[in-house]
């Protein structure tokens, strides 16, 4: 046990893994099985749980689900304990872990609390030791399970203290513990409105307030489902606590409106357009309050502090009363802060959607650098009207736009999409070009020409999107006008992808194997080279030729 507490000790090598979860092995598995066997004993349970906690504290993680923390949970799980030890011994084991490894204990306590859906496998049982009494029966009664859960919930609340993060985690279980066996819900509510919590800084109270507000909203929104239906008076009780925790300062309380998950802000299911419109109005009003409080500098502090600066830019750009283009364009565009980049891109998009091309042409860009102009145009829709302005304003520096353009074609405005695809390919954006080919309104010859060019120019630095590439191959293989040799070469280049996923196959190569004896023989010679040929290659090539290696591997895969 002591050795396992030292991550740099030789014992830590027990966590080493070889291969993947299907064909490899993990050295820790045998140790965990041994400890799980010992855990069936009433005499050894506390010591075994202590050792597993030591291991969990230094566990680096890995591919295998069989981890020390998982073994702990399986042994102690209230609805299916994997030990013959009585409840008081199990509780003593957990309390000892709390003292030695509080962080491990916290995760364990959360794992032992009730869930709407939970599964567990059998732990390893002793084969020769008589740790399990002959009259022992697996499983527990409902009352035993509820009592166990109540004990762990109260212990978790004790460990949470006034930590906002931990209190938020415990909120998930507010309606889950049976009131007959536990006063957890009452105790948690008392903790949330205690003087210690109410005196926390607004930023810390904000986390609890958001979690409470979201929980109340979701219980009402999904009240037609058994998992969410609770008495309305219980929700009103939570609302009263939430109101006490609500931050006073607008720049804190309005952060909830600009989270990454808009769905938590919806009050009902359905009627999405109206709800989105309502949320946008609330956001605009919130930003006006912040501007009244401290002007544009306060707004900048705000968008840098929220989860989604993107939504701040979208709302600020949609506000017809905001006239701050001069403060944003181009000053904010040169910022290296990620939140500023999110804000300004969404601001430009929103201003364009609200005011159209007249707004774009009304901005004086004469003093802007090429990079800033390219950033501006890349924030606008990916349409012909933008490409014309790019040619006019960037001239010989058009590539500055094409390397950063957000290539999301508008299905209703696909004029000159072949022009855009061509430029994407020329600027090493073959992955984006292939995505655009999905939206093609092109003749067969133009489509196949651009498709082959995109595949031929595809580099290791491009993003591999299996489905879109596979779909492109399917379309090219059905086109009788496609250059057969070029298509076969591309099937060989992407052979790993075509063979790995079921949505496409290297059909041209299969046909060549069947119809062209010289090609078949070339594949055979490539894979099964003579000893003399290999020696000749090694003499003329002292270093490993990875390109040749990959070619041989592809030939083998194809023939197989």
């Amino acid at each position: 046990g002591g050795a396992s507490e030292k991550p740099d000790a030789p014992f830590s090598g027990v966590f080493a893994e070889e291969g993947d979860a299907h064909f490899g092995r993990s050295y820790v598995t045998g140790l965990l099985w041994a400890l799980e066997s010992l855990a069936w004993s009433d005499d050894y349970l506390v010591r075994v749980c202590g050792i597993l906690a030591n291991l969990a504290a230094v566990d680096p993680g890995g591919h295998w689900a069989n981890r020390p923390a998982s073994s702990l949970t399986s042994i102690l799980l209230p609805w299916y304990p994997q030990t013959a030890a009585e409840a008081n011994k199990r509780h003593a084991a957990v309390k000892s872990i709390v003292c030695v490894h509080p962080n491990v204990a916290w995760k364990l306590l959360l794992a032992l609390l009730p869930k709407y859906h939970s599964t567990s496998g059998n732990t390893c049982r002793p084969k020769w030791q008589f740790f399990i009494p002959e009259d022992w029966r697996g499983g527990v009664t409902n009352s035993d399970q509820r009592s166990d859960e109540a004990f762990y919930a109260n212990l978790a609340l004790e460990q949470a203290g006034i930590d906002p993060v931990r209190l938020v985690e415990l909120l998930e279980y507010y309606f889950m513990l049976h009131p007959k066996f536990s006063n957890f819900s009452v105790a948690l509510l008392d903790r949330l409105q205690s003087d210690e919590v109410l005196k926390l800084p607004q930023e810390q109270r904000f986390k609890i307030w958001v979690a409470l507000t979201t929980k109340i909203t979701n219980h009402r929104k999904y009240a037609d489902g058994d998992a969410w239906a609770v008495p309305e008076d219980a929700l009103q009780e939570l609302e009263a606590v939430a109101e006490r925790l609500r931050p006073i300062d607008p720049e804190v309380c309005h952060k909830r409106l600009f989270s990454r998950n808009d769905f938590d802000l919806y009050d009902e299911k359905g009627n999405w357009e109206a709800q989105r419109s309502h949320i946008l109005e609330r956001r605009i009003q919130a930003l006006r309050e912040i501007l009244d409080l401290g002007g544009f500098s306060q707004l900048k502090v705000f968008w840098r502090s929220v989860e989604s600066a993107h939504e701040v830019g979208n709302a600020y750009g949609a506000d017809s009363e905001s006239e701050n283009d001069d403060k944003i364009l181009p000053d904010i565009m040169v910022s290296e802060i990620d939140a500023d980049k999110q804000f300004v891109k969404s601001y430009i998009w929103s201003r364009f959607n609200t005011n159209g091309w007249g707004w774009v042409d009304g901005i004086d860009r004469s003093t802007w650098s090429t990079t800033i102009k390219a950033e501006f145009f890349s924030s606008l829709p990916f349409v012909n009207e933008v490409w014309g302005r790019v040619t006019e304003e960037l001239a010989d520096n058009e590539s500055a736009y094409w390397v950063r353009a957000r290539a999301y074609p508008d299905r209703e405005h696909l004029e000159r999409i072949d022009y855009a695809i061509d430029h994407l390919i020329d600027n090493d954006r073959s992955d984006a070009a292939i995505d655009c080919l999905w939206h093609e309104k092109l003749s067969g010859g133009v489509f196949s020409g651009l498709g082959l060019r995109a595949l031929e120019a595809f580099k290791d630095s491009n993003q591999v999107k299996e489905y879109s590439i596979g779909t492109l191959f399917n379309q090219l293989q059905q086109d009788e006008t496609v250059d057969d040799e070029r298509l076969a070469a591309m099937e060989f280049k992407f052979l790993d992808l075509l063979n790995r996923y079921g949505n496409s196959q290297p059909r041209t190569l299969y046909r060549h194997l069947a119809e062209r004896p010289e090609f078949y023989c070339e594949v055979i010679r490539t894979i099964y080279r003579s000893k003399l040929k290999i020696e000749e290659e090694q003499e003329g090539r002292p270093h490993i030729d990875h390109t040749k290696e990959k070619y041989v591997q592809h030939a083998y895969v194809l023939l197989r």
Side-chain angles (χ1 to χ4, degrees), residues 14 36 196 265 303 330 430 435:
V14 79
E36 287 172 0
E196 293 86 350
L265 302 174
W303 82 58
S430 288
D435 281 343

Side-chain angles (χ1 to χ4, degrees), residues 18 29 103 127 148 158 166 361 402 471 485 516 518:
E18 294 180 0
T29 301
N103 289 332
K127 294 183 174 65
D148 255 16
E158 180 183 321
R166 290 190 169 186
D361 294 333
W402 291 107
T471 301
E485 300 302 325
R516 301 184 180 184
E518 70 280 5

Side-chain angles (χ1 to χ4, degrees), residues 52-71:
L52 286 169
N54 289 342
L55 290 169
V58 298
D59 184 2
H63 297 296
W64 275 261
N66 198 9
R67 320 297 314 172
S70 299
S71 294

Side-chain angles (χ1 to χ4, degrees), residues 325-398:
D325 289 344
D326 293 341
K327 292 184 178 180
I328 297 172
L329 308 174
D331 292 353
I332 306 301
M333 295 180 69
V334 300
S335 173
E336 292 300 319
I337 298 174
D338 188 57
D340 292 356
K341 293 177 181 179
Q342 289 183 43
F343 169 84
V344 75
K345 280 186 174 292
S346 295
Y347 175 82
I348 293 169
W349 182 275
S350 185
R351 291 292 275 172
F352 166 75
N353 283 335
T354 304
N355 301 288
W357 295 111
W359 173 78
V360 173
D361 294 333
I363 296 174
D364 181 8
R365 294 184 288 273
S366 59
T367 60
W368 293 13
S369 68
T370 296
T371 301
I372 294 176
K373 288 180 182 178
E375 287 286 353
F376 177 78
F377 287 124
S378 69
S379 301
L380 295 171
F382 192 65
V383 292
N384 184 43
E385 287 86 346
V386 171
W387 308 328
R389 289 169 172 81
V390 167
T391 300
E392 180 181 343
E393 296 192 32
L394 297 184
D396 294 337
N397 298 312
E398 281 189 66

Side-chain angles (χ1 to χ4, degrees), residues 281 283-293 319-322:
E281 289 300 321
R283 284 172 171 160
I284 290 173
Q285 187 57 44
L287 296 185
R288 289 176 181 173
E289 287 184 31
I290 291 168
L291 286 165
D292 291 341
L293 184 70
D319 186 359
S320 58
E321 294 184 11
S322 65

Side-chain angles (χ1 to χ4, degrees), residues 230-243:
V230 296
E232 176 61 23
D233 58 348
L235 294 180
Q236 291 176 0
E237 194 173 21
L238 282 179
E239 275 182 324
V241 176
E243 186 58 32

